Amino acid sequence: MELFRPINSYYDFENIKMVPEGDLITRNLSDMDWMYQDQEAVQELLKEDPQIYRYYNVDIPEEEGHLQHCISIINPGKVGNEYNMTKGHFHEIKGTAEIYYTIQGEGMLFMQSVTDGEPEFEALEMKKGTLSYVPPYWAHRTINTGEEPLAFIGIYPGEAGHVYGEIEAKGFMKLLIEKDGEPTIIDNPNY
Ligand code: S6P
Ligand code: ZN
């Protein structure tokens, strides 16, 4: 058996990145433009095509027994009145959980159940120091409601895998918009 060697990764608070970078994935608005409601705002912003978020995956085998871990950073900003957010996904092995630990910024964690029954919805606040548990069978999306980057560590089973298609097509049942200056959860009219 080939032994995997212990490794460290660091969060560079000043430069807002993980070191070493590992596998860096960036998502610009054009990677997810259809996921926002206000398509006029999308068209305007697409002229610059801002980066919405990025995540740094530590290179760990995608195998049972290992713990995948990564640092995600969502830039502050809105598309129309909808805050910058991740695409969102559930795990291919739906019965695998995840831990998020917020290290910078503030936002919300949206979750929607993916059992055979009617989907249920939950939202949790995220701020520096928050340790959030995403139990098995919950799709998850993170949203930056603050003025600085929202950064968090995610840790999940090596074999979990990711499914995007259903959420890419339908979104979550709720949206997070700014209303009267406050983050406000509303029903997704297109769900
Ligand atoms: C992986 C974990 C996170 C996300 C990342 C980006 O299980 O939940 O690392 O991959 O926050 O979000 P998304 O929805 O584009 O994968
Ligand atoms: Zn996940």
Side-chain angles (χ1 to χ4, degrees):
M1 163 193 161
E2 207 188 316
L3 204 52
F4 191 84
R5 312 305 304 185
I7 41 168
N8 270 344
S9 307
Y10 303 89
Y11 184 62
D12 177 346
F13 281 89
E14 210 164 297
N15 297 303
I16 313 180
K17 61 190 284 206
M18 192 178 83
V19 184
E21 282 195 358
D23 182 19
L24 168 61
I25 294 167
T26 57
R27 299 276 183 238
N28 286 30
L29 181 58
S30 56
D31 295 313
M32 55 184 305
D33 51 6
W34 68 94
M35 299 183 100
Y36 289 95
Q37 297 298 302
D38 185 342
Q39 284 298 313
E40 257 176 54
V42 165
Q43 289 315 315
E44 192 54 36
L45 283 169
L46 275 178
K47 292 175 189 162
E48 304 279 331
D49 195 16
Q51 183 189 92
I52 305 290
Y53 65 101
R54 61 189 178 280
Y55 54 110
Y56 301 83
N57 281 314
V58 180
D59 195 11
I60 304 286
E62 291 182 12
E63 291 167 10
E64 211 177 317
H66 279 284
L67 289 174
Q68 293 287 334
H69 53 288
C70 53
I71 298 182
S72 305
I73 298 156
I74 309 176
N75 292 319
K78 282 179 298 188
V79 179
N81 59 9
E82 218 176 333
Y83 296 97
N84 284 2
M85 62 185 180
T86 58
K87 282 182 160 186
H89 62 267
F90 54 86
H91 293 161
E92 202 173 331
I93 300 180
K94 290 181 178 166
T96 54
E98 183 152 357
I99 295 274
Y100 279 169
Y101 183 63
T102 308
I103 51 180
Q104 189 173 11
E106 54 190 274
M108 287 215 101
L109 169 55
F110 269 20
M111 285 162 287
Q112 185 167 306
S113 63
V114 286
T115 59
D116 293 337
E118 277 296 299
E120 294 186 43
F121 178 82
E122 290 278 347
L124 292 174
E125 245 177 30
M126 298 173 82
K127 60 183 181 190
K128 187 177 174 181
T130 307
L131 182 60
S132 309
Y133 183 51
V134 180
Y137 298 98
W138 288 88
H140 36 288
R141 161 180 285 167
T142 43
I143 306 161
N144 186 348
T145 57
E147 314 227 301
E148 61 169 324
L150 170 66
F152 58 93
I153 299 168
I155 306 170
Y156 57 100
E159 75 278 18
H162 295 90
V163 178
Y164 288 94
E166 289 173 39
I167 291 166
E168 278 186 336
K170 250 180 116 184
F172 277 67
M173 64 171 87
K174 304 280 183 185
L175 304 177
L176 191 61
I177 61 162
E178 186 184 68
K179 199 175 167 213
D180 303 326
E182 289 296 322
T184 307
I185 299 174
I186 59 163
D187 287 335
N188 177 356
N190 299 325
Y191 184 78

